[in-house]
Amino acid sequence: MAETLAYLWPEVTLFLATCVVMVVGLSPSAAVRRLCPLICGISLAAAGIFAIGTTPTGPEHTRSLMPSMLPYAKAIIAAVGILLVMLLAGTVDREEEANIEKGRTFDPLRLNSGEFYSFFLFSLTGLMLTASADTLIWLFLALELTSLPTYVMVTISTARSNAREAGVKYFFLGALGAAIFLYGFTLIYGGTGSVHLTEIRHAITTQMAGEGLNPITLAGILLAIIGIGFKIAAVPMHYYTADVYQGAATPVTAMLAFVPKTAGFLALMLVCSTIGWHYGESGAGLPDAVRLLLWVMAVMSMTLGNVLALLQTSMKRMLAYSSIAHSGYMLVGLIAGPGDTFTQSGLSAVLFYLLSYGVMSTGAFAVIASLERNPQRTHTGELAYDEADSIEAIRGLARTKPLLGWSLVICALSLLGFPLTIGFFGKLPLFTAGISAGEIGLVVILGLNSAIAAFYYLRLVAYPLFDEAGDEARAFNLTPMRTRPAVGALGAAGVVLMTVFAGPIARLAHNAVHPDSQGHVADDASNNTDEPVAAK
Amino acid sequence: MVLLLLIVIPLICAGLIVFNPREQAKYIAAGGSLVSVVFGVVALAAFNWSQGGMDQLTFTTPWVPALGLNFDIGADAVSLLLIALTILLGPICVIGSFTAVVENQKTFYAWLLILQSAMVGVFCARDLVLFYICFEFTLIPMYILIAMFGSSNRRKASTKFFLYTFTGSVIALAGFAYVAWQHSVFTGEWSFNMAALGETARALNASQQAWVLLALMAGFAVKVPLFPVHTWLPLAHTEAPTAGSVILAGVLLKLGTYGVYKFALPFAPAAVLDYAPFMAVLAIIGIVYAGLICWVQTDIKKLVAYSSVSHLGFCMLGLFAVNSVGVTGSVLYMISHGFSTGALFLMIGMMYERYHTRSMKEVSGLGSKMPVWSTFMVFFVMASVGLPGLNGFVSEIMCLFGTFQSGPWTGQAGVTPGATFGMLGPVFAAFAGTGMIVAAIYLLYMTGKIVWGPTREPDDHHAHEVLPTDLSAREIGVLLPLAAGCLVFGLYPAPLMKAVEAPVNDTVAYVQSLNTGDTGRVMVWTAAHEDDHGSDHNADHGDTHTDEHAQDEHSEDHSGEGH
Amino acid sequence: MTSISPTLASMADTALHVGSAPAWVLAIPLLPMLAVVLNTFSAIFRVKTKLPAWITIACLAGSFLATAFAFMTLSGQTNVATGWKWFDLSWGAGQGQQFIADFGFYIDNLTLLWMLFVTGLATLIAVYASEYMEHDVGKGYTRFFVAFGLFVFSMTCLVMGDNMLMLYLGWEGVGLCSYLLIGYFYKKPAAVAAAKKAFIVNRIGDLGLAIGVMLTFVHFGTLEYAQLFQSEQLAGYIAAVLEGRAGDVPLMAQLIAVFLMIGAFGKSAQFPLYVWLPDAMEGPTPVSALIHAATMVTAGVYLIARMLPVFLLSEWALPVVAWVGTFTALLAATIGMAQFDIKRIMAYSTVSQLGYMFAGIAMLSSVGGVYHVVTHAFFKALLFLCCGAVMHGFAGQLDLRKLSGLWHMKGWRVVSVGMLVGCLNLAGVPFTAGFFSKDMIIAEAFVTPGYGYSLLGWTLLFTAGLTAYYTFRVFFRVFTGPVQYEPGDEHHGEDDHSHDHAQDDAHGHDGHSHEDHAHGHDHFHPHPPRFAINFVLATLSVLAVLAAGLYFVSPEKHGWVGDMLEESTAHNLYTADHSAAAMFLIDGDAHAAHDTHADAAHGEHAAHGSILGFNPHEVMYYISAIFGLTGIGLAAYLHGPRGMVSGFLGNRVEAGKCRMDAVAKAFDPIPRWAENKWYVDEFYHFLFVRPLWVVSYIFQTIDKLLVDGLVNLFGYLPRLLGRGAQPGQSGVLHGYALSMAGGVGVILFIVVLVTL
């Protein structure tokens, strides 16, 4: 147990911070209340440091399927989490805080900050726990811990009624998804007789060596994958995405784009690892049924995501569909599976892509979140700000607000996978890994989808750069919450700067999945300064 | 190192422009591009011209080692000449835009400089991914230049330009990735090193090479542009600002032909040989078809734009002739077209600045109004027509010669000493040659309208407040280097031919070597009726990963072609 | 066969020796280039004097002197002078693995012969132009002389280039200068159109030439004359031809000549590519004289003469040339008969005479053909310059119906005499140069065996008669009879601006001094030529007369030209075996009947053919004289002035009315059709230009709708797909739930179906 705890320090840290935030958020002192996001940030930073510092050793961690992944996964979660918390800061209780400042008496019942930030931390805790999961039960709980707080966050993020609608949809459909993968988990248990991932793997290997995969196990795995597909918003579990993304306040949307997706992919990696990638024609792939399932999901997600995004005039919906497409891209990595080098390993490509996607999508959402107008009373009498959503809002942005405009342009180019942004370095290993796995057709579809994606991402480039700000665009002002544009700028800077450090990051991502191949990679990087994580 | 400077200097200047509070953009840009020229001269001087291979003036530093990606630059003669063209056009574009661009000068000049860096990067990249990065990145500056500084329909043009070329090159990237994977299969090392991958690619069997070729052509043919994927070009050219058009015609199109030269030929020689007739037919269609379309244009810029499609057809033809004369001709064409067509776009820009129209219906007979302009116009038209003694001729005739030589001559061994091995031949050359007539028709038609004849000016024309009626000293100064280039190039191209001889012969050797030995696959058009010629592919390539099915398919291809 | 073997052996022995010429011969091409450079500076510094003319004259004279010196010192040798490397590429060490073309010059007798009259005439015509173009001083004057110098430079490259690419350079270079000079009066739409037409039609021929050059390179592995004519391969082919094994020559080698021929047709205005030359008369007259009569248009003849060994390889090339040449001669003559514009008549006459040259050279009388080139150069230049003087003096009047009696006008005597000399030559009046050169050609038609060559001979004779008729038609109507004239359109009306003062907008009204008398003929005074023009006309007249003398220099070799050509590489290969070489044109069997040897004299030729049972060479003088004189007589009868030969022949009393009018009416519409050039231009327009234009429009439409449309469709497909998928995004919760469940079902069904 102590061994297990040894690599759960980040989660523990976050959990403790959750408790603190919950209390602090109810403080009668405005100054103290304002500490909430700061505490979140600090705790995330601490969790990140713990994550890097605590390498699981000893016999206990062998129960975890991918122990080496933990430091990297948790570190990127912490890093993107910091960006997210900066973005989330000030999202709720805006009117109430203002009223208090004007003299209204402090009433804890009217304030949501405590819950909001602590739910955020809960969600991230769940996310980290997903990475650490070593049993199906743990995995299920961790996934749900990731998701459940987000349902609430969506609902309370803004006073607009469609946030509630979104919250409800999200919750019900999320329950549906959870039911499916939980059903899958039970079938896996039924088929293999264990909830421990390592034992399941062992059982499956035995089954495969014998009469072939037990149909129950197989059915369980398929259902588990489809169910987890909800988290990553893969087709056919994607239906909620656009509505929920649009309904939630933009900072929360940004969070939805990263957190559940990351949880989903970590879970998928774990589930797929139980089978392993040594089947199929090439002997280095998933079993046909699983591969086919993922293949169809990948192609459908990319294609549907992109073509639907094409039609949108709402930026949030557009980014929602594009988020579906990005899941499709990453599924290519999952299909490709592990490989000797970074370029051949789909799993490290996925880990790398998660980070780049987190940074660039957070950056893009942050820009959108920085624009607002028209405070209006909703039917419940609360004050709601019109967020920038229609693409009209960003016309001429690079001229009126150069920093924001250019941040959006850079993030959009990165989402497109344009060279000299991290998006390109994210997509390239997906290409190479896919091809190395013999999935040339899939890679071509991926390429064509990138091209389709250019159609709408280019709008995010062209509107701010080339257009004159119209009436609608001029109505939008910079939000008083200065952290939001800062996140946009940080995202854009990160997108560019990470290209410089893409090498070390790539190596970390690779070592995360393939601890044994350090030597090989280190050869490639002989004159590079960064030491493999494991050595620290 | 000097190449690195050539990439970095414009970037630094772009930075200076952006962060300089005062409006000195154009002077900084001019200075920066002139400094680049100086270093360009240094590079030319430091270069050993008798040597092939991209291993001079190198600079290497790992970038993303995990991806096998290095920042690895170097040059061979062809690259260096194209770099020289790029940086020569730099100051010409900058200084040529002094009066044309009045708003957003910072943006304009900064992106112009960034574009220059990216283009230099393309030509000196020795790493496929670095090449791809620069190749792709040129889109952004061009996109911005067209969309912000273009004429009325600029948004549509720029978007089309971006999406069209982006789509193509993504597929090319897949092709690169495929070769890199094969390389790792062969050697166990993952690398994007151009030379290493070239060797691997050549070892692939013919059907694999065909796929590689297809993927690469998807990227490069759009850029060239080859018929039928050319439709972005007239639009983009017409809408682009003058400097944009000059760069577009002068250098950006050459990224495509350079790609074909640098990758398609050495990577997939067997496939190139197989598909040469097909590509050549497309090129010839482009030559004639686009040429005839030029004839019915009223917008002179569109006319010259379509003429690029026609001209680049010759360039592609020379490449797919895969012999020294043809490929050298092509390489020279890349440079020469930059001079003459770039200059034509400048000329049109100068006219446009004065009359704000490019329609031959509204402006004509400028001969008496602007004699200096007209003189230059006629000169560059003649260069573009391919008049001997000027640049166009040298390259065009060599492309045609190469095409002519490369063909079914080998059957008459010993009888045809000037023939080389290849898949084209006299018929291709003859059809392509009609392009010379068509070029004369449309270019003289344009000259007849715009330079000669009774003077006509737009109704609402009033004198330009800054510019004189005829060319100013600055404008003449911009045109003179190009004119001198055209003339020197036309009269004394031998040094250039000698300069590119080594690398071109290396490239050609990859294809021509298929002629030797017992590969059997090469004498397709003579041996097509023999059923067994596909069987010995493997032996020669030593390829252990041959897909038998693909192999069969390929031999069928052969017989299909042969008959 | 045995009789031939020694010849072949001697050919192999006397393998062409190519020396290197002294560097000063480079002055021949470079001096005209110097003129161009200096005149460019004149243009830059906006020189407003006649300086450009003097520069040009000086340089061209220098070039002529250098040529003359070369003629004296280098005649009879073959030398190469290399300027610098032009094309230089190699991909191996073996034969044919180099692609080399130097900027070099090949000097043998053929070149020298050509360059002598080119530079000489160019100098004279530059002198003429210095006066003729003076109304443009400070405006187009410099431009004129730049192009003029460039033309001479290009011509030297064409003639003297030591490889086929240099030939091509010159070939297109003269085309460019022709373009620039035809379009000299660029405000006139007709001039612009004519210039364009000239260039484009020439380009069609150029393509043929280019293909010929490429074929030569591929086949012989070299572009350089020195190597080509020394190549064993060529010698082998020629031997095969001479031995009657023409079939042994590969098809590709035979095709070379065919393609070169097309090039020659374009540049030398032969049917069907002749249509540009008459229109080219839109250029200033000195240009017409130099480029479109004397020098450039003979380039085709030069090409065939130079490449004769290659032409010999082809079974079809030379006969086709002969037929086309003859047909062109006849066709152009018939058109020329019906024209009223004297310059155009001369233009058609040029086309016609070029036809003679082609026919001559094709009938293996390259001496005749080249001799005709030389004599024609002088007398046709003379004729044009006389026409130009008339045009200059009468404000652009060229209509022979509006001019009459110039002989009797003060100051026009030199022009008239010059005209007479030219006309006599052109008409082939006995003892003129034109008489001898034409006779040589026609006689050869009856001598050389070939498909229907005697028919060609009669046609050429008939055409000679026509030539005499239309030539003297001009002379009688313009120079004899009562003094009457109308000024041309340069005198009045606003057109004047476009023509005379092409570049003049900035100069305001200063240049329009004649505007005072703009609208009346009364004030018009023709201004006769001054010294420069008269001097040139006189010199040319003398030269044209003297050219006849060349026939009597070394008569055993058919005159001086024969002497010169015998030494030239292009020629000796076949004069060595004149008739034998000719034989292959018919068939190998007949060959045995002809026992021939190198110094074939007239007597030998008698065996080959006859005209009315006589030896053609002996009787041709008389027969052609009869035709010529008949033509002149007819012209005198129909167009001569009253009082001529007691009023029997002519009865014309005023400028526009003569007997011919009635004749023309009687034969209507044939004269009208001929005047309209048999509607060939319209036919071409209808057959080629219009369809091509339509095709271009169709292409443009295809490009816009189909090609681009397809691309747009591909771009639209994703959107379409999106629209198809959009209804799924209904926003209704239970709809989503159902869709998800359904999706799961479907996807699992697919998986199960495919994998199990």
Side-chain angles (χ1 to χ4, degrees), chain B residues 12 152 256 324 331 340 401 540:
Chain B
I12 293 174
S152 50
S324 289
V331 169
S340 47
F401 258 94
D540 194 56

Side-chain angles (χ1 to χ4, degrees), chain A residues 148-370:
Chain A
L148 283 169
T150 58
Y151 305 149
V152 181
M153 288 174 74
V154 167
T155 316
I156 64 171
S157 62
T158 166
R160 278 179 291 119
S161 58
N162 50 3
R164 315 230 153 122
E165 185 192 332
V168 170
K169 276 184 190 167
Y170 194 25
F171 173 70
F172 276 108
L173 296 173
L176 179 63
I180 293 175
F181 73 73
L182 184 59
Y183 187 49
F185 285 179
T186 51
L187 287 181
I188 294 173
Y189 174 69
T192 59
S194 174
V195 291
H196 283 284
L197 293 175
T198 42
E199 284 165 22
I200 292 171
R201 172 158 68 181
H202 185 72
I204 288 175
T205 315
T206 321
Q207 284 176 10
M208 290 302 275
E211 299 155 1
L213 203 56
N214 183 337
I216 295 176
T217 319
L218 182 62
I221 288 168
L222 294 180
L223 282 175
I225 289 173
I226 294 185
I228 296 171
F230 178 87
K231 306 286 175 210
I232 62 170
V235 177
M237 309 296 282
H238 67 287
Y239 283 95
Y240 69 94
T241 323
D243 291 359
V244 174
Y245 276 36
Q246 194 182 21
T250 311
V252 177
T253 314
M255 181 191 160
L256 293 186
F258 175 73
V259 175
K261 192 188 294 289
T262 309
F265 271 100
L266 294 174
L268 280 179
M269 281 166 68
L270 290 174
V271 170
C272 290
S273 303
T274 59
I275 320 167
W277 283 263
H278 24 76
Y279 310 100
E281 282 174 18
S282 58
L286 293 161
D288 283 347
V290 180
R291 176 185 160 269
L292 183 67
L293 174 68
L294 287 172
W295 201 93
V296 174
M297 283 170 75
V299 171
M300 296 292 283
S301 302
M302 294 187 232
T303 314
L304 273 186
N306 279 324
V307 298
L308 284 170
L310 263 184
L311 305 173
Q312 307 307 321
T313 51
S314 147
M315 283 186 289
K316 280 163 80 180
R317 284 186 86 85
M318 182 197 286
L319 287 173
Y321 285 117
S322 102
S323 144
I324 299 174
H326 282 278
S327 290
Y329 302 155
M330 282 187 269
L331 282 176
V332 175
L334 197 67
I335 295 170
D340 291 338
T341 61
F342 177 68
T343 44
Q344 288 167 298
S345 164
L347 299 185
S348 35
V350 169
L351 286 182
F352 189 91
Y353 204 90
L354 280 173
L355 171 64
S356 46
Y357 181 72
V359 175
M360 61 206 186
S361 75
T362 308
F365 278 117
V367 172
I368 300 170
S370 306

Side-chain angles (χ1 to χ4, degrees), chain B residues 160 230 289 306 415 453 490-491, chain C residues 84 86 186-187 233 703 708:
Chain B
K160 190 162 195 169
H230 63 276
Y289 169 90
Y306 267 112
V415 186
L491 289 174
Chain C
W84 62 84
W86 188 27
Y186 60 80
K187 294 241 150 177
Q233 206 179 352
D703 204 53
D708 201 32

Side-chain angles (χ1 to χ4, degrees), chain B residues 106-119:
Chain B
K106 279 185 168 188
T107 320
F108 182 83
Y109 290 106
W111 283 109
L112 206 56
L113 289 170
I114 293 171
L115 180 57
Q116 181 175 335
S117 286
M119 292 185 301

Side-chain angles (χ1 to χ4, degrees), chain C residues 103 173 595 621:
Chain C
F103 215 92
D595 187 20
Y621 300 116

